[in-house]
Amino acid sequence: MPSQSMDEYNQIEPPPSFVALFASPTGHKLLEPMSTVRQRYELCEDLAQALTEQASVHLFKSGAREPEVLEKMELALTTEESPVTATEAKWVVTRLAELLGWEPH
């Protein structure tokens, strides 16, 4: 029986909505190793958590509506310098809306 490290047992399982970003069109096969999917998920989840305060402050200070704030966040996440892909950026913004109790963008 292969031994597994403690890290493997402590890994956070990405939700199906995130895993789907890395699945084949049929959804039956991952296009990346699960370890990569987990790393990307942790980055995206941390990013969504970190952006909650920024989004709330922007909403308050700008007088913009929630959809406008989410759209600006997604635009910022799709720049060349962004650590996430465009598909991941959409997921981050959807997760951000969920964390804030806003309607998804």
Side-chain angles (χ1 to χ4, degrees), residues 53-87:
E53 187 176 347
Q54 188 177 336
S56 296
V57 168
H58 184 69
L59 179 74
F60 179 74
K61 287 187 173 181
S62 70
R65 294 177 312 124
E66 293 169 1
E68 295 165 338
V69 172
L70 293 172
E71 189 175 318
K72 283 184 180 182
M73 292 286 180
E74 187 172 338
L75 279 173
L77 290 170
T78 54
T79 63
E80 224 174 273
E81 304 83 38
S82 179
V84 296
T85 66
T87 317

Side-chain angles (χ1 to χ4, degrees), residues 8-20:
E8 288 181 62
Y9 286 114
N10 293 329
Q11 289 291 343
I12 296 169
E13 283 304 311
S17 63
F18 191 82
V19 174

Side-chain angles (χ1 to χ4, degrees), residues 43-55 73 96 99:
L43 170 69
C44 290
E45 178 65 25
D46 289 349
L47 192 52
Q49 296 280 345
L51 290 173
T52 56
E53 187 176 347
Q54 188 177 336
M73 292 286 180
L96 176 61
L99 290 167

Side-chain angles (χ1 to χ4, degrees), residues 3-14 34-35 38-39 41-42:
S3 67
Q4 292 184 312
S5 70
M6 280 297 267
D7 284 346
E8 288 181 62
Y9 286 114
N10 293 329
Q11 289 291 343
I12 296 169
E13 283 304 311
M34 191 57 173
S35 59
R38 279 191 189 105
Q39 287 175 334
Y41 169 68
E42 289 185 38

